[in-house]
């Protein structure tokens, strides 16, 4: 049981390049989330999904797209990276029900030059 | 809009001293409250949570927090700090019916000195 995994762990992009971050969970959780963490700002929600085939915008969705084609995977895409997207990205998953908690992946550190 | 405020971006305590990390939330509906810890270059780990019931919540590593509705607070405490407690701590809130989206505070970095 690996929990929540993220690929890649580190990446450096040039402005305008595109990339996809992969989040995978093996806990059969319904809900999945993408957050970004920036110094002094805590974690902010980018997009989330309440089930396979669904996605919704969070607090800071601009410049990102997501897809949830399979229940266990949640992809975060950057179509044209900008320096403002330099951040640490965390994925989380959640079974559902008010008493459960979100489980976080180890993070992806992205630098956009 | 709901928000979470953590007072003090950096807190320094001596080993063996009381740890007190402050968290206040603002909302008009009952919250679910969480404390997460993040060690350097790692993801977030849940310390404890409050959903319903007893307002004093005990978590891992000797931490506890008390939900005080009248003060809209959920402060984190530990009677005696250990060097291994040095980390960043995040308070977060969610609400029923919102897909359990978490709103985080800006974090408090705890330093423990000898």
């Amino acid at each position: 049981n690996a929990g929540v995994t993220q690929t890649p762990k580190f990446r450096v992009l040039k402005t305008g390049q595109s990339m996809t971050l992969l989040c995978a969970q093996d806990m059969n959780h319904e809900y999945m989330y993408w957050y970004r963490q920036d110094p002094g700002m805590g974690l902010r929600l980018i997009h989330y999904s309440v089930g396979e085939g669904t996605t919704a915008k969070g607090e800071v969705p601009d410049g990102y797209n997501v897809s949830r084609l399979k229940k266990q995977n949640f992809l975060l895409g950057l179509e044209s990276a900008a320096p403002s997207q330099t951040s640490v990205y965390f994925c989380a998953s959640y079974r559902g029900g008010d008493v459960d908690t979100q489980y976080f992946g180890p993070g992806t550190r992205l630098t956009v030059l | 809009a709901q928000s979470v405020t953590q007072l003090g971006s950096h807190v320094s305590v001596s080993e063996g001293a009381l740890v007190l990390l402050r968290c206040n939330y603002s909302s008009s509906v009952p919250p679910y409250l969480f404390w997460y810890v993040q060690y350097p270059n790692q993801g977030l780990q849940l310390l404890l949570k409050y959903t319903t019931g007893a307002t004093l919540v005990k978590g891992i590593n000797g931490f506890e927090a008390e939900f005080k509705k009248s003060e809209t607070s959920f402060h984190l405490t530990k009677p005696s700090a250990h060097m291994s407690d040095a980390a960043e701590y995040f308070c977060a809130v969610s609400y029923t019916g919102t897909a359990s989206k978490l709103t985080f505070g800006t974090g408090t970095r705890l330093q423990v000195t000898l």
Side-chain angles (χ1 to χ4, degrees):
Chain A
N1 189 336
V4 180
T5 58
Q6 293 182 231
T7 308
K9 289 184 170 53
F10 303 94
R11 185 72 184 269
V12 177
L13 290 179
K14 294 181 180 179
T15 297
Q17 288 185 317
S18 64
M19 78 163 294
T20 300
L21 282 68
L22 170 64
C23 175
Q25 53 95 3
D26 60 2
M27 298 175 283
N28 202 35
H29 284 176
E30 288 293 332
Y31 298 70
M32 296 186 75
Y33 310 82
W34 276 107
Y35 296 89
R36 60 177 288 173
Q37 182 181 23
D38 302 293
M41 303 189 73
L43 281 78
R44 293 178 291 168
L45 182 64
I46 305 171
H47 285 281
Y48 65 100
S49 168
V50 299
E52 181 179 313
T54 75
T55 63
K57 294 180 180 180
E59 180 185 356
V60 289
D62 293 343
Y64 305 95
N65 56 75
V66 287
S67 64
R68 183 102 181 265
L69 299 180
K70 294 182 178 181
K71 186 176 184 179
Q72 64 267 35
N73 296 336
F74 195 29
L75 278 63
L76 178 71
L78 287 73
E79 290 185 350
S80 179
S84 61
Q85 294 177 304
T86 293
S87 187
V88 181
Y89 292 85
F90 287 100
C91 176
S93 72
Y94 175 76
R95 181 184 65 189
D98 289 337
V99 296
D100 202 2
T101 64
Q102 291 188 21
Y103 293 86
F104 283 80
T108 294
R109 186 174 296 273
L110 175 66
T111 302
V112 183
L113 302 176
Chain B
Q2 294 87 359
S3 66
V4 178
T5 302
Q6 291 185 240
L7 290 177
S9 59
H10 289 85
V11 171
S12 182
V13 301
S14 300
E15 191 174 36
L18 171 71
V19 175
L20 171 60
L21 305 182
R22 300 178 185 274
C23 173
N24 289 86
Y25 67 93
S26 65
S27 78
S28 57
V29 297
Y32 300 125
L33 294 157
F34 306 82
W35 275 100
Y36 283 87
V37 60
Q38 184 181 34
Y39 298 102
N41 300 313
Q42 294 188 25
L44 276 72
Q45 179 183 4
L46 181 71
L47 273 178
L48 49 79
K49 64 181 179 184
Y50 168 79
T51 54
T52 59
T55 56
L56 182 62
V57 180
K58 295 187 184 298
I60 62 172
N61 301 338
F63 285 93
E64 62 181 37
E66 186 172 11
F67 170 56
K68 292 187 176 181
K69 184 179 178 180
S70 61
E71 299 177 7
T72 62
S73 69
F74 192 56
H75 301 332
L76 182 70
T77 60
K78 182 174 181 178
S80 176
H82 192 272
M83 296 296 288
S84 60
D85 295 326
E88 188 152 25
Y89 292 80
F90 292 95
C91 182
V93 63
S94 71
Y95 303 91
T96 186
T98 64
S100 297
K101 294 178 290 182
L102 289 171
T103 298
F104 285 87
T106 53
T108 298
R109 185 167 298 279
L110 176 66
Q111 180 182 19
V112 182
T113 60
L114 289 172

